[in-house]
Amino acid sequence: MKIVWRLCLIFSLFNSVFVFASPVRHLCRPDQRDALREFKSEFIEVQFNTKIATWRNNSDCCSWDGISCDNNTGMVIDLDLSFNFDFMDSSVSLSGPLRYNSSLFRLQHLQSLNLSWNNLDGVLPDSIGNLKYLRVLSLFGCFFVGKIPSSLGNLSYLTDLDLSFNNFNSELPDSIGNFKYMKVLSLRGCNLFGKIPSSIGNLSYLTELDLYYNGFTGELPDSMGNLNRLTTLTLNNNKLSGNFPFLLLNLSSLTRIDLSSNQFQGMLPSNMSSLSNLEDFDISGNSFRGPIPSSLFMIPSLIKLVLERNHFSSPLEIGNITSSPSKLEELFLGENNFNGPIPGSILKLVGLRNLGLSFWNTGKGVVDFNIFLHLKSLVALDLSYLNTSSMVDLSIFSHLMSLERLYLSGNNLEIRSSLHLPSPIRLLTLSSCNISEFPKFIQNQTGLVYLDISTNRIGGQVPEWLWRLPRLWYVNVSGNSFSGFEGSADAIQKSEDLFVLDISSNKFRDLPLLPKSLLYFLGSENGFSGEIPMAICEPVYLDTLVLSNNNFSGSIPRCFENVDASISVLHLHNNSLSGILPEESISVYLTSLNVGGNKLSGELPKSLINCTRLEFLNVEDNNFNDTFPFWLRFLPELQILVLRSNEFHGPISYPGDSLSFPNLRIFDISDNRFTGTLPSDYFAGWSALSSSVNNLPIRLEVPSTFYYHRSVALTNKGLKMELVWSGFKIYKTIDISGNRLQGDIPESIGLLKELIVLNMSNNVFTGHILPSLANLSNLQSLDLSQNRLSGRIPPELGKLTFLAWMNFSYNMLEGPIPQGTQIQSQNISSFAENPGLCGDPLQETCGKEEEATEQEEDEKKEEEDEALSWIAAAIGYVPGVFCGLTFGHILASYKPDWFLRIFRSFS
């Protein structure tokens, strides 16, 4: 026996020596390593990706960052190359399309794939359906376009799917119902439209369904009533309609329902308490009406209730509730049709922490603010824009010891100099409160992080102590009469945590030194002058810079290449800046660039072609001297293009290629020197102007779009108007007026069914006015004046019920003006200087010759219609006679009972 043990010991020692003496064994299979290396080579900028940068050719790929392998087979089963979306992180995401034949799809044993926050613009290839063992797939924020491939339905093992914040622009395929093991489905912000497919009811294991921020329409499919394991349902920010979906009342497992910002209507059902596990219920921003059912307050698990921005009309009947819920912490009722005082019975909800009653209609009555003093647990209170005559004494809130967030904007405030709020205020909004002095009590609020005192009457200097508040990151003092800043020149610069500073619409003359931490700086509409200082680029993470409507001169600084975070919003319009638009000012992360209203010259920088996220480009009213920038058509998200009033010249049609702007909504190239003709298919690829589908790319809500509202000027109905960002989704305009364009109006103009404004005036267009313009059923303003158009005004234009303004003056039109309410209501000047036009509203009556011609055309049309009717009758008559004779012959050959059996079989 000892011999056996000795042999075992010797063998064990020998084996150990052999293992340690042998080369290191790599777990990763060579074919898997090669596939990963090839996948890396398919993209640009990967050398900066913090995960891929660690990949080394001579190492075990199973030890690479973002890779996990099966310990037995060496197959890659987990690939996580998600980009760390952190402005403090200098890594760069993968950039480039995901190819249909990508080496990624050779990793056939993948169970989890995460490529979130990479710039994989292009379509999501059908090949994704070949990764048949996938259980988790996350492609959040990858900028995919086109359709969600139906091949995804092949991934039958999927339990978690996240395609959020892509630009698919398609319907949700029926194959979505193939995921029989799916537990979490997230498709928020995917630009999806159409109805939610009924196949979604097949996902019997689904616990979370997130379709937030899409364009879904219609009612919820009845099949959703089968999702009895569902706990979270978020359908907010769509176009869903109908009454409250009663099918939800049967899904007793639901803990969260969010139907906000849709088009639901009607009354809430009375038996809401059947949702016995509900914790979070949000139906804000719909058209619900009537009383709020008391059964909502009977749900014992309810924590958050959001009913604001509806049409509820009767005050809250909390007084009828025998026992208030023990868990209700958040209640938002603002912006409804409540008329009368805020009910004192709200005191029953003693556990409230957040209460929102903004825009409560008290009929200009007096509000009893004492009712809030008893809600000792309040952490957040929103009483902004109450319709009351009461003066709000801020000291009344000094008894709420837990208060952290206080919204009082839009009320008439009284702030005593001796005021002291002992509660740790973190967020304070006092906008439009008729304040004339900077509130001194703020000095002691050392926990303050967010301060908004905009649109008041405060003058003088911004106090130096404000910048010593240690946690302050958001300051908005815009819309006052401030003239300067107290203290030293670097007082603001010492505020190390300041991220957002809005000092616009004041009387400042000296641009302050900004802290390096600043992300968003808004300084428009002040008295700044001289050159823009190079110090403006010292904030290394600057994202938004707005210095519009000042008196800056000189050139645009060439320092933006030092900005690590890369500017996404740069607005310098309405100054006196000169020189060229430097390449160094063009960040590849630009989403909005506005340098209009300056004295810039030269050519438009071609480096703009690298700005694949650019949505808004405005260079109006400058001295740019360049040809039409055809390369802009390669910017997939461009929505607003304004080149108005420059020295652009040459043709605007690209020889041998179509000019396609699929997402363009506003196209203004007026008052330049463009020449040439437009081919008949010129507008064929302008999808956003031809379809009612919302083609606007839906991006993640970033602070730059929240803190700054863009605007653009346009001509509508003959008048200049300013359109703010919120109207860009509605207004769809083309203005090519004031150029030297010639030839016929393109036939493809009739495809742009969503156009609101069309201005082709002051050119050299010839030929006839197209009857296909009647296809533009949303058109409100049409200007074809000052051209060389001939022929008649098409009577079909009289059918455009929204067309409130039109101008056909200074052409060579002839014949009677069509009869129609919209056309006849126009001013006489709309038809002036067309010697051949006659009829109302002109003083020139049509002679017998024109009337006879028109009558002849009508009679000719009637004759043609009658002839066509006779031809159709003849065509139908001959086969009818033939069939009748044949059928009669058959009947004569067979017995009558056979005919009866045939007849009964059909009936």
Side-chain angles (χ1 to χ4, degrees):
M1 191 67 180
K2 290 182 178 179
I3 295 174
V4 174
W5 278 110
R6 286 174 182 172
L7 288 173
C8 290
L9 179 61
I10 292 170
F11 178 78
S12 177
L13 290 172
F14 176 78
N15 188 56
S16 299
V17 171
F18 177 78
V19 169
F20 284 109
S22 300
V24 177
R25 176 181 175 272
H26 285 182
L27 176 62
C28 180
R29 290 166 55 102
D31 62 315
Q32 302 285 283
R33 182 187 64 243
D34 293 344
L36 288 169
R37 288 166 56 189
E38 289 178 33
F39 181 61
K40 172 184 174 179
S41 67
E42 294 173 11
F43 301 97
I44 59 176
E45 298 180 345
V46 295
Q47 67 271 23
F48 299 107
N49 187 282
T50 52
K51 292 180 180 177
I52 287 187
T54 65
W55 293 9
R56 297 290 182 265
N57 292 339
N58 59 352
S59 60
D60 185 358
C61 74
C62 294
S63 65
W64 293 350
D65 280 358
I67 306 294
S68 295
C69 296
D70 185 284
N71 290 331
N72 295 321
T73 64
M75 295 290 188
V76 176
I77 59 174
D78 188 348
L79 177 59
D80 183 355
L81 295 180
S82 56
F83 172 53
N84 183 19
F85 192 70
D86 183 351
F87 70 88
M88 299 297 290
D89 189 348
S90 59
S91 64
V92 178
S93 63
L94 302 178
S95 183
L98 182 61
R99 303 170 187 170
Y100 76 93
N101 59 348
S102 171
S103 55
L104 170 69
F105 304 121
R106 294 187 353 229
L107 303 174
Q108 284 289 306
H109 292 265
L110 273 179
Q111 296 179 18
S112 177
L113 175 62
N114 188 350
L115 300 177
S116 297
W117 278 121
N118 285 291
N119 189 19
L120 306 179
D121 53 337
V123 298
L124 177 60
D126 286 331
S127 319
I128 194 72
N130 297 337
L131 301 175
K132 59 183 178 180
Y133 295 113
L134 271 183
R135 286 171 171 79
V136 177
L137 176 59
S138 182
L139 300 175
F140 183 104
C142 288
F143 303 103
F144 286 118
V145 298
K147 296 181 178 181
I148 293 179
S150 58
S151 63
L152 273 180
N154 300 337
L155 307 179
S156 57
Y157 293 107
L158 269 184
T159 61
D160 294 74
L161 176 61
D162 190 349
L163 301 179
S164 300
F165 294 105
N166 284 285
N167 298 327
F168 288 117
N169 186 28
S170 70
E171 295 188 13
L172 188 59
D174 284 335
S175 59
I176 202 72
N178 294 356
F179 305 122
K180 58 182 178 181
Y181 300 116
M182 183 69 67
K183 293 181 179 179
V184 178
L185 177 59
S186 183
L187 300 173
R188 67 175 66 182
C190 284
N191 209 15
L192 301 173
F193 57 87
K195 292 188 176 182
I196 298 174
S198 60
S199 61
I200 207 163
N202 298 338
L203 309 180
S204 56
Y205 285 92
L206 201 64
T207 59
E208 297 182 27
L209 177 59
D210 188 351
L211 302 179
Y212 155 72
Y213 210 161
N214 282 287
F216 289 115
T217 56
E219 300 183 3
L220 301 188
D222 293 338
S223 62
M224 286 183 66
N226 301 330
L227 306 178
N228 50 23
R229 288 182 171 91
L230 202 62
T231 60
T232 301
L233 178 63
T234 49
L235 301 174
N236 46 314
N237 291 85
N238 279 283
K239 299 177 183 177
L240 297 168
S241 58
N243 293 324
F244 181 85
F246 282 82
L247 62 91
L248 299 183
L249 299 179
N250 298 323
L251 305 181
S252 57
S253 297
L254 279 170
T255 60
R256 183 186 179 198
I257 298 176
D258 192 344
L259 305 178
S260 60
S261 300
N262 276 286
Q263 298 170 8
F264 291 110
Q265 59 186 3
M267 299 174 66
L268 293 183
S270 59
N271 57 336
M272 296 296 296
S273 56
S274 63
L275 295 165
S276 54
N277 291 300
L278 195 61
E279 298 176 2
D280 184 342
F281 185 59
D282 189 345
I283 58 170
S284 59
N286 282 284
S287 296
F288 291 114
R289 55 182 174 81
I292 298 171
S294 58
S295 60
L296 261 177
F297 294 90
M298 299 297 187
I299 301 174
S301 55
L302 196 63
I303 296 174
K304 181 179 180 181
L305 179 58
V306 186
L307 306 176
E308 59 191 2
R309 292 182 291 118
N310 277 285
H311 302 307
F312 293 117
S313 55
S314 61
L316 194 63
E317 298 179 2
I318 301 175
N320 296 332
I321 300 174
T322 55
S323 59
S324 61
S326 58
K327 292 188 177 181
L328 191 61
E329 296 181 357
E330 301 183 57
L331 176 62
F332 300 91
L333 299 169
E335 299 183 65
N336 277 286
N337 292 335
F338 300 130
N339 188 12
I342 297 170
S345 56
I346 206 167
L347 297 176
K348 287 181 176 286
L349 307 176
V350 293
L352 277 182
R353 292 171 56 82
N354 296 348
L355 177 60
L357 301 175
S358 58
F359 290 92
W360 190 287
N361 179 13
T362 62
K364 279 294 182 181
V366 176
V367 174
D368 182 10
F369 289 95
N370 290 308
I371 65 175
F372 306 111
L373 302 183
H374 301 280
L375 301 176
K376 300 295 185 182
S377 300
L378 275 180
V379 173
L381 179 61
D382 184 356
L383 301 176
S384 53
Y385 297 95
L386 295 180
N387 186 24
T388 176
S389 58
S390 300
M391 171 75 75
V392 182
D393 186 347
L394 210 56
S395 62
I396 200 168
F397 303 107
S398 60
H399 300 287
L400 301 176
M401 304 301 294
S402 301
L403 199 61
E404 295 181 2
R405 302 190 296 276
L406 183 58
Y407 307 83
L408 293 174
S409 296
N411 290 292
N412 197 11
L413 288 187
E414 179 184 354
I415 304 177
R416 302 177 187 179
S417 58
S418 59
L419 174 65
H420 173 67
L421 291 182
S423 56
I425 300 292
R426 297 180 63 249
L427 190 152
L428 182 64
T429 65
L430 305 176
S431 176
S432 303
C433 288
N434 201 27
I435 302 171
S436 58
E437 293 184 10
F438 206 101
K440 293 183 175 60
F441 78 92
I442 295 175
Q443 186 172 0
N444 299 320
Q445 296 296 329
T446 56
L448 193 67
V449 298
Y450 186 106
L451 175 64
D452 182 358
I453 56 170
S454 61
T455 321
N456 282 292
R457 299 185 293 111
I458 310 173
Q461 295 186 313
V462 179
E464 184 181 11
W465 54 256
L466 178 65
W467 316 112
R468 299 195 197 109
L469 296 177
R471 300 183 180 180
L472 197 64
W473 67 267
Y474 178 99
V475 173
N476 187 351
V477 297
S478 64
N480 282 284
S481 299
F482 290 112
S483 57
F485 301 91
E486 283 183 358
S488 59
D490 62 348
I492 302 178
Q493 200 172 41
K494 294 176 181 177
S495 185
E496 297 181 354
D497 291 328
L498 194 65
F499 292 160
V500 181
L501 178 59
D502 188 349
I503 62 172
S504 56
S505 302
N506 277 285
K507 299 179 180 179
F508 295 112
R509 293 187 176 276
D510 297 317
L511 200 63
L513 295 175
L514 303 175
K516 291 185 177 181
S517 60
L518 205 64
L519 292 172
Y520 313 101
F521 179 61
L522 312 179
S524 61
E525 297 183 47
N526 279 286
F528 300 131
S529 58
E531 294 191 356
I532 299 176
M534 296 289 286
I536 198 67
C537 292
E538 289 188 8
V540 293
Y541 303 111
L542 196 62
D543 173 271
T544 297
L545 176 62
V546 181
L547 295 174
S548 306
N549 298 300
N550 281 288
N551 299 314
F552 285 115
S553 57
S555 59
I556 295 175
R558 298 172 178 264
C559 60
F560 292 117
E561 70 273 15
N562 300 324
V563 180
D564 288 343
S566 298
I567 289 180
S568 66
V569 176
L570 178 61
H571 283 215
L572 305 173
H573 65 281
N574 293 344
N575 282 283
S576 296
L577 299 169
S578 57
I580 65 169
L581 179 56
E583 300 277 350
E584 295 86 348
S585 301
I586 307 302
S587 157
V588 295
Y589 293 99
L590 271 177
T591 62
S592 184
L593 176 62
N594 190 345
V595 292
N598 285 286
K599 300 175 183 178
L600 300 174
S601 57
E603 298 181 350
L604 207 59
K606 290 186 173 56
S607 56
L608 280 169
I609 197 173
N610 299 319
C611 304
T612 57
R613 302 177 185 180
L614 193 66
E615 302 172 0
F616 181 101
L617 177 60
N618 186 355
V619 299
E620 65 181 339
D621 292 317
N622 277 286
N623 299 317
F624 285 106
N625 193 330
D626 198 358
T627 56
F628 184 82
F630 292 104
W631 39 269
L632 287 177
R633 74 189 193 278
F634 297 116
L635 300 182
E637 300 187 24
L638 191 63
Q639 301 165 33
I640 315 295
L641 176 59
V642 181
L643 307 179
R644 179 177 58 235
S645 301
N646 278 282
E647 298 296 322
F648 288 102
H649 54 273
I652 63 171
S653 58
Y654 198 73
D657 195 4
S658 61
L659 186 65
S660 177
F661 286 113
N663 285 310
L664 206 64
R665 294 166 177 269
I666 295 179
F667 180 65
D668 189 346
I669 61 169
S670 60
D671 298 323
N672 280 283
R673 293 188 287 115
F674 289 118
T675 56
T677 61
L678 302 183
S680 61
D681 63 346
Y682 188 77
F683 297 107
W686 298 38
S687 305
L689 294 175
S690 60
S691 172
S692 59
V693 175
N694 180 17
N695 289 308
L696 184 69
I698 302 215
R699 311 177 61 80
L700 183 65
E701 283 294 334
V702 293
S704 60
T705 59
F706 177 74
Y707 294 124
Y708 180 61
H709 300 288
R710 285 158 276 188
S711 64
V712 65
L714 56 85
T715 301
N716 182 20
K717 300 178 183 178
L719 301 173
K720 293 284 185 181
M721 62 174 288
E722 186 176 29
L723 186 67
V724 297
W725 183 248
S726 59
F728 290 172
K729 291 184 180 182
I730 302 172
Y731 265 84
K732 301 182 180 182
T733 72
I734 289 180
D735 191 343
I736 58 176
S737 63
N739 285 286
R740 302 171 187 175
L741 300 171
Q742 56 189 354
D744 292 342
I745 296 174
E747 287 280 350
S748 55
I749 196 74
L751 300 174
L752 309 183
K753 298 178 181 179
E754 298 300 307
L755 263 185
I756 301 292
V757 177
L758 176 60
N759 190 348
M760 306 180 79
S761 66
N762 199 13
N763 278 286
V764 202
F765 285 114
T766 55
H768 293 178
I769 299 176
L770 300 172
S772 61
L773 284 174
N775 296 335
L776 311 186
S777 55
N778 292 304
L779 200 63
Q780 298 179 13
S781 175
L782 172 64
D783 194 344
L784 300 176
S785 63
Q786 301 187 62
N787 280 286
R788 297 178 182 174
L789 298 170
S790 59
R792 299 190 170 208
I793 299 175
E796 291 87 349
L797 296 184
K799 300 176 183 178
L800 297 176
T801 55
F802 292 110
L803 188 55
W805 190 89
M806 59 194 84
N807 192 347
F808 303 103
S809 62
Y810 293 91
N811 278 287
M812 296 183 289
L813 300 172
E814 60 185 8
I817 297 173
Q819 301 298 305
T821 305
Q822 299 299 96
I823 296 179
Q824 293 296 311
S825 63
Q826 300 300 305
N827 191 284
I828 192 173
S829 60
S830 297
F831 308 98
E833 301 301 323
N834 284 283
L837 276 183
C838 60
D840 293 334
L842 292 176
Q843 302 297 325
E844 184 73 24
T845 57
C846 293
K848 293 181 179 179
E849 184 177 344
E850 287 85 356
E851 293 177 359
T853 303
E854 187 174 1
Q855 186 176 356
E856 286 175 6
E857 288 180 356
D858 291 341
E859 290 176 354
K860 184 178 179 182
K861 187 175 184 301
E862 289 179 7
E863 289 175 0
E864 290 174 352
D865 292 342
E866 189 175 354
L868 286 173
S869 299
W870 279 109
I871 292 170
I875 291 171
Y877 175 76
V878 174
V881 171
F882 174 77
C883 291
L885 292 173
T886 304
F887 192 59
H889 177 74
I890 292 172
L891 290 179
S893 305
Y894 291 93
K895 297 179 181 180
D897 61 334
W898 178 87
F899 172 75
L900 290 173
R901 285 199 300 271
I902 295 293
F903 179 78
R904 286 170 184 156
S905 69
F906 279 102
S907 60

